[in-house]
Each structure stands twice: as C-alpha cells, then as structure tokens.
Amino acid sequence: MFKRKVEKVDDVLAMVLRTQGLETPLLQRRLIEAWETVMGPVVGRYTAEKFISNQTLVVHLLNPAMRADLSMMRQKLVKRLNDEVGAAVITDVKFY
C-alpha cells in the first residue's frame, strides 16, 4: 500500500488563492462589506463610499459630526474591522 498526502480543503483553497494573487483582494472586499456589520445601521446610513488604498480604508461620511467622532476612534476601528475579517488587511482609516 502507499500513503497519500491528505490536506484540508480550506488549506488547499487558501494556497490556491495565495498563488493566484487573489487572497488580498478577497480580504479587502470582505473588510469593506464588514463596515456596516461592525459599525451598525446608523453609521451605515451615513456612509456614501468606501475603498481601500495602500492599506488605508477611506470612508466618505455624509455627517460631519459623525466624521469627527469616528476620527478619534480610528485605531479601535482598525482593530475591530481586522478582527471581523480575521487578518491584518488595513492599518489606518481616513474619513472625508
């Protein structure tokens, strides 16, 4: 008899995503979609646009008071968003 190398499906999938260069874009997309889950529906209602540029999540908020409040909590938001995705995708959050 011969011995087969058995691997978990999630390990194989992660390896394929990594070798094809799709792991980072997938994690970035998950983080952007997690914004409303982490922040709640009230903040989500005042959010117009979100994108990631150079490991920085850029968020357009329609309410200036909310923008000021969330700017003071940037590091906490980075940690909560990265924890939601399960990887260190962003290092900063900027609001405009």
Side-chain angles (χ1 to χ4, degrees):
M1 286 199 176
F2 58 92
K3 208 176 205 181
R4 292 185 185 197
K5 184 179 177 187
V6 179
E7 296 182 33
K8 292 182 180 179
V9 173
D10 60 342
D11 293 339
V12 173
L13 184 59
M15 182 185 66
V16 169
L17 288 173
R18 197 171 300 119
T19 58
Q20 296 297 318
L22 299 173
E23 183 179 37
T24 301
L26 180 64
L27 289 172
Q28 289 177 345
R29 183 68 184 165
R30 285 183 184 163
L31 188 128
I32 289 171
E33 290 176 357
W35 172 259
E36 193 167 332
T37 304
V38 171
M39 300 308 297
V42 174
V43 175
R45 225 175 329 190
Y46 290 103
T47 303
E49 180 183 11
K50 309 172 289 286
F51 61 91
I52 296 177
S53 176
N54 297 328
Q55 291 186 322
T56 300
L57 176 64
V58 181
V59 181
H60 181 206
L61 290 175
L62 302 174
N63 186 325
M66 187 177 293
R67 187 180 318 132
D69 288 344
L70 293 178
S71 290
M72 291 186 276
M73 301 176 15
R74 285 190 354 233
Q75 291 305 315
K76 187 185 287 186
L77 294 176
V78 168
K79 182 176 178 353
R80 287 175 59 191
L81 288 164
N82 283 332
D83 288 347
E84 181 73 22
V85 176
V89 178
I90 60 171
T91 58
D92 195 13
V93 179
K94 295 204 180 200
F95 301 100
Y96 74 97

